[in-house]
Amino acid sequence: MAKNIYVGNLSYSVGSSELESLFSQFGEVSRAQVIQHRDTGRSKGFGFVEMDDSDSAEQAIEELNGTEFEGRNLTVNEARPREDRPQRNGGGGGGGGRGGW
């Protein structure tokens, strides 16, 4: 069964291909993605790696957690499932100085 791995504290210069390359030394990576801000396209400093072999994934977690990569000490652990988050209202509330329009 595939294992999804959270990778935090990434340098903002690290892209998905570098993340895949880092983890591929432990086994086959089926997917690697650095999460980017939707408006700016800039890295948010974390990503996810999916590996099909759970033993390889566990080894990667154990050996990479806390190690330095591109100047930052990585946080690497098994990803937790996303929690349902309340829907955001697109409104924006707002105000401005005048009412009654």
Side-chain angles (χ1 to χ4, degrees), residues 21-83:
S21 181
L22 176 65
F23 278 79
S24 66
Q25 63 186 314
F26 298 97
E28 188 173 337
V29 173
S30 51
R31 191 173 69 125
Q33 181 179 17
V34 172
I35 305 303
Q36 298 176 332
H37 189 276
R38 82 179 84 172
D39 294 332
T40 65
R42 185 172 175 215
S43 168
K44 288 188 169 188
F46 70 95
F48 296 94
V49 175
E50 189 175 287
M51 299 179 79
D52 289 331
D53 180 52
S54 61
D55 291 335
S56 297
E58 285 298 326
Q59 182 184 6
I61 290 169
E62 287 177 25
E63 293 194 30
L64 291 175
N65 187 39
T67 62
E68 186 269 334
F69 181 66
E70 298 291 323
R72 311 275 305 258
N73 290 336
L74 299 178
T75 300
V76 182
N77 52 47
E78 187 171 352
R80 296 186 298 251
R82 285 182 70 157
E83 296 176 3

